[in-house]
Amino acid sequence: MRGLLLGGWAFAASLATAQRGPFLEQIDDTTWVVGNDLWNLTQGAFYATKLFHRGQDLVGSAVGHYVGYDGEDNLQWLSASIAAEGDNFIDVSFFAELGDFHWVIFDDLPGAYQYFVNRALPDISILRSLWRLAPEIFLNGRTHLKNEALPDFALYANATNVQDETWQLEDGTFITKYDWSNAVRDRDFYGVYGPEFGSWYIHPTFEYYNSDQLSQTLTVHRESSTGDSVQLNVVQDTSHFRVGQTTAQPEGKTWGPWLWYLNSGSIADAAERRVEELAGWPYEWFNNTSYHSRGGVSGYLQLSDGRPAAGAAVYLGDTDTTIRPSIQGSNYYYTTYADDTGAFSFDDVRTGSYGLYAWSNGGEIGDVYTNVTTSPVTITRAATTQLGELKWDVPSGAQRIFQVGEFDKKALGFTHGGPPYQHGVADLSPANLTFVDGESENSDWYYAQSAIGKWTIEFDLAAEEVTGYKTALLSVSLAGYSQSAALDIDVNGQVLATLSKDTLVSDPALYRSGKTNGEWRFFQYPISSSMLSAGVNTVGFTVTRYTQWRGFMWDSIILDWE
């Protein structure tokens, strides 16, 4: 293990033959070579290229590796040094004015652990590292949702660009990088591979990712302008699938370490490596005091009607509960789900103060639209904070008239709702639809409403109900909204409200292949019993403004007598 300044140019290919273990070598003021006996790369001021592994350059004519925030190659490396070392590894730090990117290189590891430490980043929405690799070597992409060949670069030549990185082919189908997206906290591992080589990202924890269980972002794709095989590592993202907002980043905040792993292209081997990484996390070799200062928290969620909050989504986020979980991104974040008894626990949480949030994830409590928030929750080193029973208030005395869709902030259960990601599916929803309470199923509703027309829910009321209650409450839960669609909500033809770009800020999920969720929105409207009558009644949703691939993504519609 060593770091040297070479007097002249050293070819990275020849360095691979020297049996010397992990190394850093400086070629000139803006060029370095790092690696070990199994691989090495040449790092320039912005890009890392000449990635040699088993005698093959895996970058070739592609762009290579870079790190950037809210853009492309905007972190410039000014120097490099060995920040730490052990008996069998070195930690190489590349210095930029805004922060340091590290490659932790072990003797016999084909790849490296990577992490980024903030020094002076501005408020950001995106932070990422990525590889753009040789397309003739890396033919396929793999995520936990999708495993197939990347689109042939030749397809783009005669395709029409219909929006950012989305192309329509002559047969009317689409290719887009957004079809490879997924929910961050559902991932196992992902990467690009071919018959001889694979390049993978394995994250043993999601604590340095922003947001809650609904967070989603990009993974791999074909670069439409060059054909490069792209392997993205987006560790901060508050814009691609939600209402965008930048977040402040404290000095010293660390994203990672994660593992960038090279192999023969074997998915099974990458899966086995992930198991090893999970077993070894938190990493003992990582020399960071706050990283190793960890504790736990546990508790039990009980609904006020006596039911356990079975399967509830539980999230440790910011103590400032006025910030939406979907855009929280300054700290570290943890997610889990309650068991059938409402019990939950978090282990290996960084010490500090958090806000605890819980909401229905469908299932046994899919009828519950309220939530729980408590703050602060303090995590202390080597201890488990016992929260005991947390009371979750649900409306008392309410009588359910009807419900369409389970409340889970997602479009699951509806036609076309849920994976896979696919562009343009909103166009398959009907313009007009009638849902009859007591006869129709959730699957008769569609995940998205887009075309100009009216969707109607029909429901029966008994005379004694209309005379026995003064008001009803209509709860409308949207899994997402993409402008510029507009929607009138009516009861028996009387318009209650209009949802449009004038009242909602757009999220891009629906037109970026999202079929599960974007940014959640929730509205409630009181209805006088005078607006209702004995017999058949209707709640209507009329689209009055249409923009292709945009519209309203549905979660749940609930009508209760109060």
Side-chain angles (χ1 to χ4, degrees):
M1 296 176 287
R2 58 177 177 170
L4 296 175
L5 175 63
L6 299 186
W9 181 262
F11 290 98
S14 65
L15 289 173
T17 64
Q19 300 295 311
R20 55 182 172 175
F23 67 89
L24 163 67
E25 294 194 351
Q26 185 166 352
I27 306 303
D28 56 36
D29 288 346
T30 59
T31 311
W32 305 265
V33 180
V34 297
N36 59 20
D37 298 336
L38 302 177
W39 67 275
N40 65 78
L41 61 81
T42 301
Q43 176 69 62
F46 293 98
Y47 295 97
T49 57
K50 298 181 177 66
L51 170 60
F52 283 94
H53 179 49
R54 299 190 348 247
Q56 177 73 48
D57 180 7
L58 303 184
V59 171
S61 61
V63 169
H65 183 275
Y66 65 84
V67 183
Y69 71 94
D70 294 348
E72 298 296 322
D73 53 346
N74 49 17
L75 286 179
Q76 180 179 0
W77 311 119
L78 304 176
S79 65
S81 62
I82 296 178
E85 59 184 303
D87 293 337
N88 62 342
F89 75 90
I90 60 172
D91 181 339
V92 178
S93 174
F94 284 92
F95 170 88
E97 291 182 352
L98 299 181
D100 302 327
F101 192 79
H102 292 250
W103 303 72
V104 181
I105 306 167
F106 280 78
D107 287 341
D108 57 355
L109 176 62
Y113 295 94
Q114 300 174 321
Y115 64 98
F116 181 82
V117 181
N118 178 46
R119 177 177 297 106
L121 283 172
D123 292 1
I124 63 170
S125 60
I126 295 173
L127 178 68
R128 65 183 180 179
S129 65
L130 63 88
W131 281 105
R132 287 174 57 174
L133 296 165
E136 68 276 11
I137 296 175
F138 298 94
L139 307 175
N140 313 297
R142 190 271 178 197
T143 73
H144 75 283
L145 294 179
K146 194 176 177 75
N147 178 26
E148 61 187 53
L150 295 172
D152 192 316
F153 184 47
L155 292 173
Y156 294 88
N158 296 315
T160 301
N161 180 240
V162 294
Q163 64 178 37
D164 64 313
E165 287 302 315
T166 303
W167 304 77
Q168 187 168 21
L169 305 181
E170 291 180 343
D171 64 2
T173 60
F174 300 93
I175 50 177
T176 173
K177 67 181 182 181
Y178 296 108
D179 280 0
W180 291 89
S181 305
N182 57 40
V184 169
R185 296 173 187 274
D186 292 342
R187 293 173 176 169
D188 49 11
F189 60 94
Y190 67 96
V192 291
Y193 69 97
E196 297 183 70
F197 297 95
S199 179
W200 310 95
Y201 283 125
I202 301 173
H203 291 265
T205 177
F206 300 114
E207 66 183 16
Y208 41 81
Y209 282 87
N210 59 282
S211 188
D212 57 17
Q213 288 94 328
L214 301 178
S215 181
Q216 53 195 317
T217 190
L218 304 166
T219 57
V220 301
H221 66 88
R222 172 79 68 204
E223 182 62 35
S224 62
S225 61
T226 63
D228 295 358
S229 297
V230 183
Q231 181 188 5
L232 294 139
N233 184 48
V234 186
V235 291
Q236 183 91 6
D237 186 351
T238 56
S239 66
H240 275 112
F241 289 92
R242 71 211 82 188
V243 175
Q245 185 165 324
T246 59
T247 58
Q249 302 303 320
E251 182 179 359
K253 180 180 175 180
T254 300
W255 289 264
W258 59 82
L259 176 62
W260 162 64
Y261 182 60
L262 290 169
N263 71 2
S264 65
S266 168
I267 295 173
D269 173 70
E272 290 177 5
R273 185 72 200 201
R274 175 179 178 264
V275 172
E276 293 181 33
E277 297 307 313
L278 293 176
W281 182 84
Y283 298 127
E284 292 184 3
W285 51 261
F286 187 38
N287 184 24
N288 182 293
T289 300
S290 60
Y291 173 86
H292 292 288
S293 180
R294 296 178 179 271
V297 60
S298 65
Y300 172 79
L301 293 163
Q302 176 80 36
L303 302 182
S304 59
D305 63 11
R307 290 181 291 166
V314 189
Y315 169 62
L316 282 182
D318 290 345
T319 55
D320 184 353
T321 58
T322 65
I323 303 173
R324 307 190 312 275
S326 63
I327 59 161
Q328 292 180 7
S330 297
N331 301 302
Y332 301 96
Y333 302 95
Y334 302 85
T335 60
T336 191
Y337 295 92
D339 67 15
D340 290 344
T341 71
F344 66 89
S345 64
F346 294 90
D347 299 318
D348 289 319
V349 177
R350 286 173 174 258
T351 55
S353 293
Y354 297 85
L356 186 142
Y357 308 70
W359 60 90
S360 167
N361 191 46
E364 293 183 29
I365 61 169
D367 60 319
V368 176
Y369 58 75
T370 58
N371 56 45
V372 172
T373 302
T374 182
S375 180
V377 172
T378 301
I379 307 298
T380 56
R381 184 180 177 89
T384 298
T385 301
Q386 303 288 343
L387 297 179
E389 182 181 296
L390 299 178
K391 186 64 69 176
W392 183 332
D393 289 332
V394 296
S396 60
Q399 179 179 319
R400 186 66 36 99
I401 300 173
F402 70 76
Q403 179 172 356
V404 179
E406 291 187 355
F407 184 92
D408 56 6
K409 302 185 179 181
K410 302 173 185 175
L412 302 180
F414 300 136
T415 294
H416 299 145
Y421 287 70
Q422 186 178 356
H423 178 73
V425 179
D427 281 354
L428 302 180
S429 296
N432 300 289
L433 181 151
T434 300
F435 184 99
V436 180
D437 179 48
E439 297 180 13
S440 301
E441 303 291 336
N442 286 335
S443 57
D444 295 321
W445 199 259
Y446 283 70
Y447 87 108
Q449 186 175 0
S450 181
I452 291 178
K454 184 172 185 177
W455 291 12
T456 302
I457 301 171
E458 293 184 356
F459 59 100
D460 282 321
L461 291 177
E464 57 267 27
E465 289 183 276
V466 178
T467 58
Y469 292 93
K470 291 184 178 180
T471 59
L473 183 66
L474 178 66
S475 300
V476 176
S477 182
L478 298 177
Y481 165 76
S482 297
Q483 68 180 33
S484 297
L487 183 78
D488 285 346
I489 303 173
D490 75 78
V491 173
N492 290 331
Q494 299 182 56
V495 175
L496 291 176
T498 297
L499 301 178
S500 71
K501 63 184 179 65
D502 297 326
T503 55
L504 298 175
V505 181
S506 176
D507 72 68
L510 198 56
Y511 61 85
R512 286 181 170 171
S513 302
K515 291 165 48 237
T516 300
N517 67 277
E519 176 115 14
W520 174 65
R521 329 293 173 93
F522 186 69
F523 308 92
Q524 290 187 306
Y525 306 102
I527 300 170
S528 170
S529 60
S530 63
M531 298 176 65
L532 302 169
S533 61
V536 176
N537 292 261
T538 62
V539 172
F541 302 91
T542 304
V543 173
T544 59
R545 178 184 174 91
Y546 165 75
T547 303
Q548 189 175 32
W549 308 320
R550 274 71 166 169
F552 300 83
M553 196 184 308
W554 288 105
D555 169 30
S556 187
I557 305 162
I558 297 171
L559 184 63
D560 289 327
W561 286 117
E562 288 194 294

